[in-house]
Amino acid sequence: MTDVSEIYHALAEEMETVLVGNAAVVEGLTIALLTGGHVLIEGVPGVAKTTIAASFARATGLDTRRIQLTPDVLPADLTGTKVYREQTGTFEIQKGPVFTNVVVADEINRATPKTQSALLEAMQEGTVTIEGDTLALPDPFLVVATQNPIEMEGTFELPKAQRDRFQLKYIVDLPSDDEEHTILDRFDADPNLSPLRIQQVITMNELESARDVVDEVFVDDDVKQYIVDLVTETREHPAVAYGASPRASIGLLTASKARAALHGRDYVTPDDVKALAKPTVAHRIVLRPDAVFGDVDERGVVDEVVESVSPPGVADTADEASGVADGGTDE
């Protein structure tokens, strides 16, 4: 497990030469890379969403493409198309920017639903179909999308089917006073500080080995049941119209295995599940209309669910304590 931990710390330390804070997002990006997931990063303008994605791509050394999404971007602009070659009299496939290891889809909610849906096959199947021809995408393949939650004009909210394809979603908040002071110090000393300063710190062989290690992380049946209980509870919450899907359960399982490996363990604990419940589940929930207009949000619902569902061992301990209080068990 040490190798996986070292990879994570190497990525985090290298990214910290440009970034300040956002450790949870860096952890999530590493988890997604190791498990074949995708990450959605949301935040107001100026909180370094794209910088985080670009820095991570450079630190991994993987081939990457940044796509600036706008309403006039067409599906073929992402996936590619067939072009006629007059010299040969034949049609030739021209691959789009999605044929890379890391796709940085900047401001994905500015693309039209038709263009957003062009990423569905790529994110789920790892393939792209261009006019009847299905082509495999490179492996690994990771989509890191950003979106701005405060501007409504010229934006298109991601449909649930699209959100469900993202294994993890993180909200990048404004920095604290100390963090912002550190940012000013860095840019005062180096006005040209940017992701271009980030150096590759891992190799493809190390990445492939780390993914194999994550696959072998042990998950006890009680922890699996804990995951099922958490996801099931989202479907029964009174504020929820549509709860998380089985894809959320799978995403939480694989992400928890990766987090355990990042922290040097070959087994998953309930704390791994708790730590990833919000970024894995919250964006997959659809609230009831009355809850949307009330003081309720998806992240708050997940907090309530985590609070209400007992992790493995807690219920047994409570039963034992109750038995002692009642004078012991019958013999």
Side-chain angles (χ1 to χ4, degrees), residues 4-261:
V4 181
S5 299
E6 288 177 354
I7 286 174
Y8 168 53
H9 289 300
L11 289 170
E13 289 175 6
E14 182 63 22
M15 293 177 67
E16 284 173 4
T17 62
V18 171
L19 298 173
V20 176
N22 297 305
V25 185
V26 175
E27 180 182 86
L29 288 168
T30 309
I31 287 171
L33 181 63
L34 294 175
T35 58
H38 309 285
V39 180
L40 179 61
I41 304 175
E42 180 178 294
V44 299
V47 292
K49 301 184 297 296
T50 306
T51 299
I52 293 170
S55 298
F56 183 78
R58 287 188 62 85
T60 61
L62 296 172
D63 184 42
T64 182
R65 304 279 182 87
R66 178 178 178 273
I67 306 170
Q68 182 64 55
L69 292 167
T70 57
D72 61 343
V73 173
L74 300 175
D77 295 329
L78 300 181
T79 59
T81 187
K82 285 186 176 180
V83 296
Y84 181 72
R85 300 298 183 189
E86 188 175 353
Q87 299 88 338
T88 61
T90 60
F91 285 90
E92 180 180 302
I93 291 178
Q94 181 172 305
K95 295 180 179 179
V98 76
F99 284 87
T100 188
N101 296 119
V102 182
V103 176
V104 179
D106 202 15
E107 295 189 283
I108 190 172
N109 57 330
R110 289 197 178 279
T112 63
K114 185 176 182 179
T115 301
Q116 291 173 3
S117 65
L119 286 172
L120 285 175
E121 179 187 358
M123 295 172 68
Q124 183 63 29
E125 307 295 339
T127 60
V128 166
T129 301
I130 301 175
E131 298 185 26
D133 292 325
T134 299
L135 308 176
L137 290 167
D139 185 35
F141 176 71
L142 168 67
V143 174
V144 184
T146 71
Q147 68 176 12
N148 175 359
I150 64 173
E151 293 183 10
M152 299 301 174
E153 185 176 353
T155 64
F156 305 86
E157 182 180 1
L158 289 175
K160 186 177 187 296
Q162 184 84 31
R163 297 197 306 270
D164 203 36
R165 296 308 198 276
F166 287 98
Q167 181 187 33
L168 300 158
K169 176 185 176 181
Y170 288 93
I171 294 179
V172 179
D173 296 316
L174 292 168
S176 65
D177 287 351
D178 289 341
E179 289 173 338
E180 194 155 3
H181 196 106
T182 301
I183 293 171
L184 294 181
D185 285 342
R186 290 191 179 182
F187 276 88
D188 184 36
D190 185 0
N192 297 317
L193 190 64
S194 76
L196 296 176
R197 302 292 177 87
I198 299 291
Q199 301 296 317
Q200 179 181 349
V201 294
I202 64 171
T203 66
M204 181 63 78
N205 287 339
E206 290 171 335
L207 175 58
E208 290 175 353
S209 297
R211 295 171 77 180
D212 289 340
V213 170
V214 168
D215 288 342
E216 297 300 320
V217 171
F218 173 74
V219 187
D220 188 81
D221 282 341
D222 286 342
V223 175
K224 291 178 183 176
Q225 186 60 49
Y226 181 49
I227 292 172
V228 171
D229 292 344
L230 287 174
V231 173
T232 300
E233 188 66 22
T234 68
R235 303 166 190 163
E236 300 173 354
H237 193 282
V240 175
Y242 301 99
S245 67
R247 187 180 286 124
S249 302
I250 296 170
L252 188 51
L253 173 71
T254 57
S256 297
K257 292 173 68 172
R259 186 181 187 274

Side-chain angles (χ1 to χ4, degrees), residues 234 237 239-240 285 287 296-306:
T234 68
H237 193 282
V240 175
I285 292 174
L287 298 177
V296 179
D297 64 25
E298 296 88 347
R299 293 164 65 84
V301 167
V302 175
D303 284 335
E304 292 179 15
V305 166
V306 171

